[in-house]
Amino acid sequence: MSMLRCVAALMIAVSVASLAVAEEDTRVKGHIDGAHGSAAVEPAASANMRLGTPLTSDDIAKWDRTIFPDGRGLPPGRGSAKEGRVIYEQKCARCHGEHGEGGTSEELVSGPTPPSPDNPSKAIGSYWPYATTIFDFVRRSMPPAAPGSLSADETYAVTAYLLAANAIIPESAEMNAETLAAVRMPNRDGFIWIDVKK
Amino acid sequence: MARKLASEDLTPVAGGGLLHRRLFLKAGLVLATAQTATSLRAEEVAATTPRAKPEDPADPSWIHKPGLPFTGYGTPSKYEKHVVRNIGGNRTPQGDGVSWTPLEELEGIVTPSGLHFERHHDGVPDIDPAVHRLVIHGLVQRPLEFTVANLLRYPMRSRFLFIECGGNSNAGWHEEPIQRPAGSFHGLVSCSEWTGVPLSLLLDEAGVDPKASWVIAEGADAGLLNVSLPLSKLMDDAMVGLYQNGERVRPENGYPLRLIVPGWEGITNVKWLRRLHVTDAPAMTRNETAKYTELLPSGKARMFTFVMDAKSLITSPSPGQKMHGANVYEIRGLAWSGRGKISKVEVSADGGKSWAEAELQDPVMSQCFTRFRSPWAWDGKAALLKSRATDETGYVQPERDVLIKERGREGYFHYNAIVCWAVDEDGTISHVYA
């Protein structure tokens, strides 16, 4: 690291020299074929290397879309399985099957039982350890033709539909930031961390 | 340098006719290579295509007329048009799939950038570098935003590194051995010189809180792919990759910038990187829970299996190629390990009953492709070719039955077992489990 910082300091001097060379190159090139314009050679970052621009909390709010298993990051909103079923049929069933049984894309619905050698299902009910993951993935990535197009309410509704279809929550349950974070998935403890310690 | 072969040169050092690895270095002898499937096809075409006047190799037409003009950006010879990525696995939706590096067509250790494998979850975004930003926020003293132009001004470093998809070689879990060219089975791995800014410089500038232990990395593709990574690895040797093989990273490999996480599975090397959320716990995203985890026979699943274990593969001879009859051949292949340098590759011509050490071609670099070569006197009889890699930690690439006994068959990811090619008496090569 300290080596790199020394390099950074040296590069200031070097970049001044290379700037001159670059200008000369441009002249030569222009003379030969009439081409003009070349990238300006920016001075290297200083030893302090403060090229990042500070962000305000309002700026960060526009970027931050992380949702954690404990519910941190979940937006306001609500949705029910009944509402979600309608959205699912319109936007998801074509690839995932009419009832989440899978199609050109993976199956989503299985019983609420962890996987076993007889039933090595990786569908939501049997495999997914956290319900918040459904919300996060649907909101950022689905549907593939228009990711990010579902509102928070619609995303809660689709999440509720998928959880109810997997018999993890009752058909009548409403999902919101609080109730979704409280859902305990059947396979919560089904994972062994390998290359990082808990 | 070339000299006549002495009879002792052709004394095998292992079963099936494997010769001493240094034979070619001292003898410089002329030998056969397996003919590629594509050159076989080219010969068939040439044989059946009538030509007005055949070219005379001693006096071909192109030595008597001016050649083609200069080009702004060169492309491979038109005679090499068949050397392309094999696009596969595309389903509905279209942008979710892979393209395989044709490993069996390539030599050396660097993958041409245009042949680097692809795995996209929703296509290749068309990113304007003037608009793109990298944001670092969360458990930091100073949340920061970087333009691409500013990132290009930081001190950089280069490393030759392989990147391998966690799902590479997954057909190895199948009951029946898949019959495809080596690259269309194992080619979700490629090797490039990656140049960029050590991520620790940027994280230091933001001032990481001592409570932080994880970073959520997010790409700017459709779907905003996100994964959680331990902060310690990112501080240790990760880079913001800006250049690949000397030129700016190609769009399908993450332009204008991607995360480079040496030795770790492909998905952690987040392409089109736009956000690093420094935090104290993993986000448990879809791609680290529902995917890129490996279900074991016990019903439990391996999670955060970041490191790509040692693996090797014979690229020549390999399925789709054809032997030219009994002769001395050079067995050629690739080995790599996410844990460090390859320390040894052994090859077998008798299905693993006996092994001979292969020559490792310089340079041998950590977490990088290593090219191995081994001379082989093929007697024209049926043979079973295998290669077995050992890395500097002492880890030895496992046989398939050992891997399956440990992991079962539902893991899908991280298949790194020894690969076996069967050479038939007629010179055809197929994939077998043996």
Side-chain angles (χ1 to χ4, degrees), chain B residues 253-267:
Chain B
N253 276 298
Y255 184 85
L257 54 101
R258 78 178 299 171
L259 194 54
I260 298 291
V261 189
W264 284 23
E265 63 183 358
I267 187 140

Side-chain angles (χ1 to χ4, degrees), chain A:
Chain A
M1 189 64 83
S2 60
M3 185 68 174
L4 276 167
R5 290 198 169 121
C6 291
V7 171
L10 273 173
M11 281 169 65
I12 300 169
V14 174
S15 65
V16 173
S18 51
L19 186 59
V21 173
E23 281 168 359
E24 191 175 322
D25 280 351
T26 309
R27 283 200 305 274
V28 171
K29 197 177 175 196
H31 178 71
I32 290 173
D33 58 16
H36 55 272
S38 73
V41 178
E42 297 284 343
S46 74
N48 291 327
M49 286 181 295
R50 294 266 186 253
L51 296 179
T53 311
L55 289 174
T56 66
S57 49
D58 284 351
D59 296 331
I60 294 166
K62 288 194 282 182
W63 283 88
D64 186 2
R65 296 175 207 209
T66 311
I67 292 166
F68 291 91
D70 61 7
R72 273 183 290 161
L74 281 170
R78 43 118 355 243
S80 69
K82 196 177 161 199
E83 292 157 345
R85 169 81 209 173
V86 177
I87 300 162
Y88 179 89
E89 284 173 351
Q90 288 170 352
K91 306 197 171 181
C92 319
R94 189 166 72 92
C95 297
H96 290 288
E98 198 184 339
H99 303 287
E101 70 277 15
T104 54
S105 293
E106 51 271 79
E107 64 165 339
L108 300 174
V109 173
S110 61
T113 312
S116 65
D118 295 335
N119 181 27
S121 169
K122 293 178 187 172
I124 289 171
S126 52
Y127 198 67
W128 293 40
Y130 297 97
T132 49
T133 308
I134 308 168
F135 186 97
D136 177 57
F137 186 66
V138 170
R139 183 169 73 154
R140 69 176 55 240
S141 301
M142 292 290 118
S149 60
L150 296 181
S151 69
D153 284 355
E154 288 173 317
T155 310
Y156 278 117
V158 170
T159 305
Y161 166 69
L162 292 171
L163 289 168
N166 279 283
I168 289 163
I169 63 168
E171 289 281 345
S172 57
E174 180 185 286
M175 287 291 108
N176 56 43
E178 201 176 313
T179 55
L180 180 59
V183 171
R184 188 178 172 88
M185 299 295 279
N187 200 36
R188 164 78 71 90
D189 298 323
F191 293 84
I192 308 160
W193 291 21
I194 300 295
D195 287 324
V196 59
K197 295 285 162 264
K198 262 189 187 170

Side-chain angles (χ1 to χ4, degrees), chain B residues 79-117:
Chain B
Y79 301 104
E80 300 297 323
K81 274 193 174 146
H82 56 281
V83 183
V84 290
R85 292 186 284 225
N86 179 13
I87 300 168
N90 268 16
R91 301 165 294 178
T92 312
Q94 214 174 7
D96 184 17
V98 298
S99 70
W100 310 77
T101 295
L103 297 173
E104 71 283 355
E105 299 279 3
L106 304 177
E107 250 299 343
I109 58 171
V110 172
T111 309
S113 298
L115 296 176
H116 192 289
F117 85 89

Side-chain angles (χ1 to χ4, degrees), chain A residues 1 43 45 49 51-53 55 64 66 106 117 122 127-128 133 136 140-141 144 189-192 194-195, chain B residues 122 143 145 150 153-154 200 205 218 223-224 226 275 277 284 286 291 293 297 300-301 303-304 306-307 410:
Chain A
M1 189 64 83
M49 286 181 295
L51 296 179
T53 311
L55 289 174
D64 186 2
T66 311
E106 51 271 79
K122 293 178 187 172
Y127 198 67
W128 293 40
T133 308
D136 177 57
R140 69 176 55 240
S141 301
D189 298 323
F191 293 84
I192 308 160
I194 300 295
D195 287 324
Chain B
D122 202 357
E145 177 184 270
N150 275 346
R153 293 169 61 187
Y154 280 83
S200 59
E205 183 174 331
E218 181 182 87
L224 294 170
N226 58 345
R275 188 167 72 93
H277 187 166
M284 295 298 181
R286 179 255 199 179
K291 304 287 174 184
T293 52
K300 299 286 184 191
M303 177 179 241
F304 299 129
F306 294 126
V307 182
E410 303 296 336

